Structure formats: structure tokens, C-alpha cells
Amino acid sequence: MTLPAPPCRAEPPGPASTAAVITGLGGCLPPTKITNGQLVREGLDTSDEWIRTRTGIRTRHRAGPGVSTADLAVAAGRAALHSANRTHTGIVLVATTTPDRLCPATGPEVATRLGLTGTPAFDLSAVCSGFLYAANVASALLTSGAFDSALVIGAETYSTIIDPRDRNTAVIFGDGAGAVCLERGSAADPGAFLRFDLGSDGARSDLIAIADGGSRSPHRGEPPPADRFFRMRGPEVYKQAVLRMTSSARTVLALAEWPLPAVEAFIGHQANQRILDAVAQRLRVPPERCHGNLRHVGNTAAASIPLAMADAAARHVVEPGARTLLTAFGGGLTWASAAMTWPAAATTYLLPERRPPQGDHHE
Ligand code: COA
């Protein structure tokens, strides 16, 4: 029997290599901001001081009744297309843990509401690593020649799956969407994705889960409330997040052949400031090169990385072309990192777009 050849690790892309390049950045944050004090006033057993010192979060956004993940995704997608000065794209990927429905996927509705009916569109679920997973898939589709452009959106309404009485999760998560337009270009272009590292460990799927509603536990009558909500084993997730983001970041830097001091900008999944500080410290990235918006938006799961990028681009804190390291970790478990150069695109923000009335159609 012939053994399969070991995986081939290609040379890092040279400047002339084809690459997926970010040419547009968009974001959508629902206008309702919830402060830590407000969570306390709503009856959550916590305090502003605990949340600030243990997580670094001060506010998060809440979509509110009648506003869905697709409503945020459409706005962020439209913003990214506007930023890229485009009216069409080859394929639409929506990374989300909170799709509008279990079936069908959110992507086709988002594409149609963006005026892109006919464009292939699908959802991808990798929890908080979802955006980087989707960016890698889109990047491979562009560099293979299958498509010449893509719209990658990370969108979430965690307020719809969080138990408002669970202080372990209610203080952390927020709603929002971020999006990027990708076009096939060269590795020398600002905004080029150069290398990815992805991984998963299904043996630890219990650390972050919604117990009810899937095929293992289909809806049968009224499930116990605890099973309907997103549950997280916080301290264990914390340790795994530090471990996995650090090792994945190291792997992608090795693939890109970037020594650690070469990293000019670092954006980690905006989960908890203590996690981000621990990862940056292990990677020896100085604080002035770390960027994020955690204190204003909390953990927006699949929307976290593109929203943090949109925020940094809007504040002009990173030079186009700067060597940038992105890393994320989420339920699954999943983790993902990317080595890229900072895009030249400017950020556009839009407010959520409510779905137009559907006439007599039944859903
Ligand atoms: N308000 C007040 N007290 C709280 C609290 C809250 N919101 N949450 C927990 N506590 C209490 C605990 O009951 C415990 O009290 P005790 O010492 O009297 O038993 C104490 O604070 C420490 O609890 P612990 O759960 O160990 O806190 P922590 O420092 O690990 O912080 C998280 C909790 C959830 C903020 C932290 O574990 C975390 O950020 N985890 C990862 C979250 C994440 O990134 N999730 C997404 C991954 S994609």
C-alpha cells in the first residue's frame, strides 16, 4: 500500500503571486447601546466594576425586536460594496452562529436584498472563528480562479440566543456585522491575504453550545429554558482561547516567514481584554500595535474581526500595507489566523436594514 504524500507546504507567496485582496470594508452596529450599568438595572447579578476589570467591556449593541442577523448583514454588505465602489460580486459568504432560521441559509436572502439575485450565496458556521474561516474559503475560491470577487460578511445577533439572566454570557456578547469585499489581485497589493491557519477540536464541543434545536435534540414541545440558550464554560474557554490563538498565530507567522517583530498590527478576536493581552504578551506584540473595539462592542462572535478591522480603518491607526496578524477562537472548538497586509480601503458604516414586507408569501 502506498502511503499518501505528506501535506505540501508551498513557499510563501512572492509579490507577483495571485492573492485575495480586501478592497472594501463595511460595518453595521444596531443603534441601541447597552451599558454595564443598564445590565445591572435589568436585574443581572453583576457590576460595572466587575465587567470592566474582568473583561474590559463597557458597552455592547443590541439589535432589538424585529431586527435579525440578515438585517445587519445586508447593511454591512452594502457598506463594504460601497467602500469598494462595487455593485456586484462573484459570491457571497455569510459567517454566522445566529442565522435568521435553521433553514434556509441567510446568505441567499442577504444577496437578493443587496440586488445580487443569482449570485451564489451560503452560510458558514465556525462560531467566533467564522469570519476567518469564510475569508480563507473565499480567498481560495479567488486564487483558484473560480471567482474573481467575493463579499464576506460576519453577522450576529447573540442577543437572540443569550439568557439575559446568565451573567457568564450576558455581559460579554453584543450584536453587529462586519464585511469585506475581496477581489483577485496580487500579494503586493495592500489588503492581500497571504497565509491562513485553521484548526478545530470537536472533542471540546461541550465548552460552547446550544443544547436544543439541532438533530441530536430536535424541538419536541417546550425544552427546558437552559437548553434553548447559548451556554459557555467561561474559565475553560478562556484558557483554550489563549492557547489556541497563540499557537495558531505562531503557525501562520511561520507559514508567512514573518519573524515576530515583523508584525506591525495585531487584531485578535474581541472576546475579553485579558485574553487579548495574554495572547499579545505571549506573541510579544507591543500594546501600540494591538487594535480593537472590545470596550464599545463586546464579543460579536463572527462579526468581531471584520468589525475591529472596520473600526481600526475608520480611525486610520494602521498604515496601508502594514504587516497584519489576525487571530480568532470560537466554539467547536475552532481557531483561525491570517497573515495579511493592511488594506487601503476606507470603512463605511450603515444602520440595520429591515426586511421589506414579503407580501402573501408563506415562510
Ligand atoms: N459579574 C460578577 N461576578 C461574576 C460574573 C459577572 N458577570 N461572572 C462570574 N462572576 C464571579 C464568579 O461567580 C466567581 O465568583 P467566586 O470567586 O465567588 O466563585 C468569580 O466571579 C470568578 O468567576 P470566573 O468564572 O472564574 O471568572 P473569569 O475571570 O473566568 O471571567 C468570563 C468569566 C466569562 C468573563 C471569562 O471566563 C471569559 O472571558 N471567558 C471566555 C469568554 C469568551 O471568550 N467566550 C467566547 C469565546 S469565542
Side-chain angles (χ1 to χ4, degrees), residues 113-131:
R113 288 170 59 186
L114 288 171
L116 302 170
T117 298
T119 302
F122 66 99
D123 291 4
L124 187 153
S125 175
V127 195
C128 300
S129 311
F131 174 79

Side-chain angles (χ1 to χ4, degrees), residues 44-47 50-51 54-55 127-129 158 166-173 208 230 232-239 241 245 269-275 299 301 328-331 334:
L44 193 65
D45 179 17
T46 187
S47 68
W50 192 96
I51 302 170
R54 307 293 288 184
T55 73
V127 195
C128 300
S129 311
Y158 262 60
D166 177 11
R167 65 181 184 173
N168 193 32
T169 53
V171 301
I172 294 177
F173 289 94
I208 291 175
F230 175 95
M232 175 181 75
R233 286 173 39 199
E236 187 56 26
V237 168
Y238 185 107
K239 282 183 220 147
M245 286 201 280
H269 170 50
Q270 306 289 292
N272 179 323
Q273 195 55 50
R274 287 156 54 219
I275 293 176
N299 182 346
F329 169 83
T334 57

Side-chain angles (χ1 to χ4, degrees), residues 102 210-220:
L102 271 179
I210 301 175
D212 191 66
S215 62
R216 190 177 296 281
S217 177
H219 287 309
R220 296 276 185 267

Side-chain angles (χ1 to χ4, degrees), residues 153-299:
I153 305 172
E156 303 279 17
T157 47
Y158 262 60
S159 59
T160 61
I161 56 168
I162 291 293
D163 178 352
R165 293 153 306 172
D166 177 11
R167 65 181 184 173
N168 193 32
T169 53
V171 301
I172 294 177
F173 289 94
D175 299 338
V180 298
C181 276
L182 293 177
E183 292 175 39
R184 195 183 321 122
S186 107
D189 294 333
F193 277 107
L194 304 175
R195 282 293 186 186
F196 287 94
D197 171 65
L198 306 187
S200 78
D201 178 5
R204 312 308 309 275
S205 58
D206 59 313
L207 296 187
I208 291 175
I210 301 175
D212 191 66
S215 62
R216 190 177 296 281
S217 177
H219 287 309
R220 296 276 185 267
E222 193 57 27
D227 289 357
R228 277 183 279 140
F229 290 117
F230 175 95
R231 296 283 168 199
M232 175 181 75
R233 286 173 39 199
E236 187 56 26
V237 168
Y238 185 107
K239 282 183 220 147
Q240 287 288 328
V242 173
L243 226 119
R244 300 299 191 179
M245 286 201 280
T246 305
S247 66
S248 176
R250 285 199 175 117
T251 301
V252 91
L253 291 178
L255 290 173
E257 296 186 359
W258 288 357
L260 280 172
V263 175
E264 295 166 289
F266 171 61
I267 293 183
H269 170 50
Q270 306 289 292
N272 179 323
Q273 195 55 50
R274 287 156 54 219
I275 293 176
L276 288 166
D277 292 346
V279 173
Q281 199 183 18
R282 281 164 174 72
L283 294 173
R284 297 206 181 80
V285 181
E288 63 277 11
R289 295 187 185 184
C290 300
H291 304 286
N293 54 355
L294 176 76
R295 63 156 47 198
H296 304 297
V297 304
N299 182 346

Side-chain angles (χ1 to χ4, degrees), residues 69-151:
T69 294
D71 297 341
L72 307 185
V74 169
R78 199 181 300 289
L81 287 167
H82 180 268
S83 158
N85 203 17
R86 291 183 71 94
T87 53
H88 66 279
T89 190
I91 188 163
V92 177
L93 283 76
V94 178
T96 185
T97 330
T98 50
D100 278 27
R101 316 165 198 84
L102 271 179
C103 170
T106 311
E109 176 183 328
V110 170
T112 285
R113 288 170 59 186
L114 288 171
L116 302 170
T117 298
T119 302
F122 66 99
D123 291 4
L124 187 153
S125 175
V127 195
C128 300
S129 311
F131 174 79
L132 286 179
Y133 262 65
N136 192 357
V137 170
S139 183
L141 290 172
L142 267 55
T143 52
S144 72
F147 292 90
D148 61 9
S149 59
L151 176 61

